[in-house]
Amino acid sequence: MSEAHLMIFHVGPVQEFIATARRSRDLWFGSWLLSELAKAAALEVVQQNGKDVTCLVFPAPADFSELQSEEFSVPNKVLARANQVPAELAGAVREAILKRLGEIHDDAYRRIGGRFDIAVSRRQVEAFPEFFWASCSLSDGYQWARKCAEAVLNARKVTRDFAPLTWGSDAPKCSLDGGRESVIPGDVYHRMSEDELRENYGVRRGEHLCGVCLLKRHGTRGKEEHFFSTSHIAALPLLDRLTDRHRPLVDKYIGKLRALGIPPDALDTVRTPHPVFGHHDGQLLFEERLREFFEADDRLKAAREALRGFLKEAFDGQKPPPYYALLLADGDHMGSVIAAQETPEKHRKLSRAQSRFAREARGIVHRHRGSLIYSGGDDVLALVPLHTVLECTRCLSVTFRERLAEFRVREGEKEIAPTLSAGIVVAHHLAPLSDVLELARAAEKAAKSVQGKNALAVTLSKRSGVERTVKGAWGVLDGRLEWLIALHRTEAIPDGAAYELRDLARRLEPPDEELRATLREAARAEAMRILRRKKARRGVELVSERVLKKLEELLNKFSFEELRQLADELVIAREFAAAMDLAGMPLPAAPTGEVA
């Protein structure tokens, strides 16, 4: 028997898989696939150690059955103690990963109705996993072994492999990753209609997919089919207004779409049904999405007229908001906390707390009408509707702090505990998902830049106009946003105030430090003049003195740069307020001057 080693196994590629997601389904399945391959690695390590789950340090399931459970997610990095020869164990783990990958792609490919180059597809899928491992003897102690193994793994990850290509042809490149060749024959795009392409391949005309992306498009997550399109998430504020009295109107509208020729499998795509809208995707409430089901002919015109009629009868002509939220959260100080764990047993205790949060995060996102993409213990990725995303993110933050509160460490003279910082992007439902993911990462990075962290950042990305980002600590920014949302919902502040404040900050941007103090005071005075002359309640009342007083207090606290942030906070709060109004959420009490 070999001496005891600490081993780290990495399964990827993570960023490439995320970046090539065009649809929420691609992202949803791709995230699960990487977790499933990491779980195969963890299972093999446990099997090689006589089913003793205590050999796993991260993750740390309570028993073997929990590790096998579909609900148990495994991060892409597995940490374990092992007595086997490292190279032999790593070889067995690699084989287990490839075996599980084969099972998944065989299941997915059975769902594809049209012909495709299955031999090339299999080679592409078998070549895509990224598997690295590192080990270090435990003879010098756990903390040293973990540090050593992490350093070796990082060095391995930045060492590039130059493997020979196993395929090559004049076929078009994949529309998603741009590197691998498409495996869908070119002639099918000429022979098949839009409906046939969608039914057989799950693609639009001109969308070419390689074997890996075809796998993501057709794979399933076991029994779990709870995922929504970005359009469905955007439509949820309006869908949540539906009651039983609307059921005949829904049946009438869907019946018209069926009569126009939309096949049932294109209509009934939501596995977790809405109480009234059923299995139908919220994309059916957007005129621009109906174009995907019909050519530009009389049927498309008739479908749009049917939608307008439904919206008029059900919601007095109101339309769903075109925006949804992508939430990306990550734990703060986790590197310090992990480094402070002196033994595998202490690290396992931390891992169990992280696993508990991962399970609870799933329920939190679902309760707030969202669709969880991934929850790995100290990170969360989810699609959430605008009217619930702030409360959902706050609930995740509070739960994370509670579950990891005991794992306090010292950094300098301070004692700190893990917290959760989050980035929220409010984006158009038709915006490329890869672009929205980039914005989410930037928003999360902005939250992480707040001193002390435990922070929130929100980015508003409208199809027209500049992106706006606001950031601040939990208990400060979220409290202020809630107050501003209440001002908008009770019409206590006019919509135009935000844009005038933003324009003021732009016009009075100080050219140098000497003028900064003078212009700062001038900007505050002019901002109050703007607010005092603006009229609320649709132009019939001046802004109340109580609200003006609080706004003046905020302006006195803010730096010149924060004046721009206040303007952006007003704009962002209006988007949340509009979604809450559309969802029929109870109006808040008249806003007081109390705000963080």
Side-chain angles (χ1 to χ4, degrees), residues 187-442:
D187 64 307
V188 304
Y189 296 94
H190 305 293
R191 293 189 297 99
M192 290 187 175
S193 66
E194 291 280 1
D195 290 345
E196 290 172 325
L197 286 171
R198 183 177 58 253
E199 181 179 353
N200 287 283
Y201 296 103
V203 299
R204 303 172 187 173
R205 189 173 303 282
E207 185 180 31
H208 302 275
L209 296 184
C210 65
V212 175
C213 293
L214 203 60
L215 166 65
K216 288 193 287 186
R217 189 63 56 89
H218 291 272
T220 61
R221 288 173 57 152
K223 297 177 182 177
E224 184 195 353
E225 284 291 333
H226 186 97
F227 83 96
F228 297 139
S229 69
T230 55
S231 298
H232 187 83
I233 293 289
L236 278 171
L238 196 62
L239 288 174
D240 281 356
R241 289 254 302 279
L242 291 173
T243 62
D244 282 338
R245 71 180 180 85
H246 295 104
R247 201 177 298 276
L249 299 177
V250 172
D251 293 341
K252 177 183 174 182
Y253 172 52
I254 298 300
K256 286 183 178 179
L257 293 181
R258 291 188 194 279
L260 289 169
I262 298 184
D265 66 327
L267 283 171
D268 304 330
T269 58
V270 177
R271 302 298 189 270
T272 303
H274 185 277
V276 179
F277 209 62
H279 293 279
H280 313 308
D281 196 297
Q283 66 179 327
L284 299 176
L285 299 186
F286 294 95
E287 286 192 26
E288 57 267 36
R289 292 303 300 269
L290 293 176
R291 192 183 299 113
E292 298 176 15
F293 303 102
F294 305 103
E295 305 289 347
D297 56 16
D298 290 341
R299 292 191 306 155
L300 177 58
K301 182 179 178 181
R304 287 174 170 170
E305 289 176 353
L307 172 57
R308 291 169 195 152
F310 170 70
L311 293 175
K312 184 176 181 180
E313 290 184 276
F315 307 110
D316 295 324
Q318 288 182 299
K319 297 180 179 180
Y323 298 99
Y324 73 100
L326 181 64
L327 183 166
L328 180 61
D330 185 61
D332 302 319
H333 314 297
M334 290 305 298
S336 298
V337 170
I338 291 172
Q341 307 312 305
E342 300 168 349
T343 65
E345 290 71 29
K346 289 182 178 180
H347 196 161
R348 276 182 55 81
K349 187 177 180 181
L350 171 63
S351 299
R352 286 195 296 272
Q354 291 177 270
S355 294
R356 182 181 178 186
F357 168 74
R359 290 192 300 271
E360 290 177 309
R362 182 182 303 275
I364 290 169
V365 171
H366 289 178
R367 283 199 304 276
H368 289 87
R369 312 289 284 114
S371 184
L372 182 72
I373 302 299
Y374 180 71
S375 176
D378 63 355
D379 54 351
V380 178
L381 180 63
L383 306 173
V384 190
L386 291 192
H387 64 303
T388 63
V389 67
L390 284 177
E391 181 56 33
C392 177
T393 311
R394 182 189 294 109
C395 191
L396 288 169
S397 175
V398 170
T399 303
F400 185 83
R401 291 200 305 269
E402 289 175 349
R403 296 296 166 259
L404 279 78
E406 67 177 281
F407 300 97
R408 307 182 71 86
V409 295
R410 295 201 68 83
E411 278 194 357
E413 297 180 356
K414 292 183 178 180
E415 187 178 59
I416 59 172
T419 53
L420 192 74
S421 289
I424 295 172
V425 174
V426 178
H428 196 279
H429 71 113
L430 294 183
L433 190 56
S434 56
D435 293 347
V436 181
L437 282 162
E438 284 294 327
L439 290 173
R441 281 192 283 269

Side-chain angles (χ1 to χ4, degrees), residues 435-593:
D435 293 347
V436 181
L437 282 162
E438 284 294 327
L439 290 173
R441 281 192 283 269
E444 183 197 53
K445 186 176 180 180
K448 293 278 193 180
S449 71
V450 173
Q451 188 173 10
K453 302 176 183 177
N454 186 33
L456 170 69
V458 183
T459 294
L460 173 62
S461 176
K462 305 196 87 169
R463 297 192 102 182
S464 58
V466 298
E467 291 155 6
R468 304 171 187 272
T469 298
V470 298
K471 63 181 181 179
W474 279 110
V476 177
L477 176 61
D478 57 317
R480 196 161 60 235
L481 283 174
E482 285 190 343
W483 183 65
L484 295 175
I485 289 168
L487 292 182
H488 280 297
R489 296 197 66 202
T490 57
E491 298 183 344
I493 193 167
D495 289 342
Y499 296 99
E500 290 200 41
L501 291 177
R502 181 77 185 190
D503 184 59
L504 171 66
R506 181 185 60 80
R507 286 187 289 111
L508 293 184
E509 181 71 36
D512 54 52
E513 281 299 322
E514 292 182 7
L515 287 175
R516 182 173 293 274
T518 302
L519 289 179
R520 177 183 176 188
E521 294 305 318
R524 286 172 177 168
E526 179 63 10
M528 288 309 301
R529 189 189 71 80
I530 290 171
L531 292 169
R532 287 187 183 281
R533 69 176 172 79
K534 299 295 287 186
K535 289 189 176 181
R537 311 212 189 284
R538 302 184 184 182
V540 299
E541 293 181 15
L542 292 172
V543 178
S544 74
E545 284 299 321
R546 184 169 54 182
V547 171
L548 284 170
K549 182 180 179 181
K550 188 57 197 178
L551 287 170
E552 187 171 24
E553 289 176 8
L554 288 176
L555 288 171
N556 287 335
K557 291 179 184 176
F558 280 7
S559 66
F560 195 93
E561 291 74 16
E562 289 171 322
L563 174 60
R564 288 194 295 270
Q565 167 145 331
L566 177 60
D568 288 342
E569 286 175 13
L570 278 164
V571 174
I572 290 170
R574 188 179 64 170
E575 295 296 328
F576 290 132
M580 291 174 182
D581 286 342
L582 196 62
M585 296 176 71
L587 279 173
T592 67

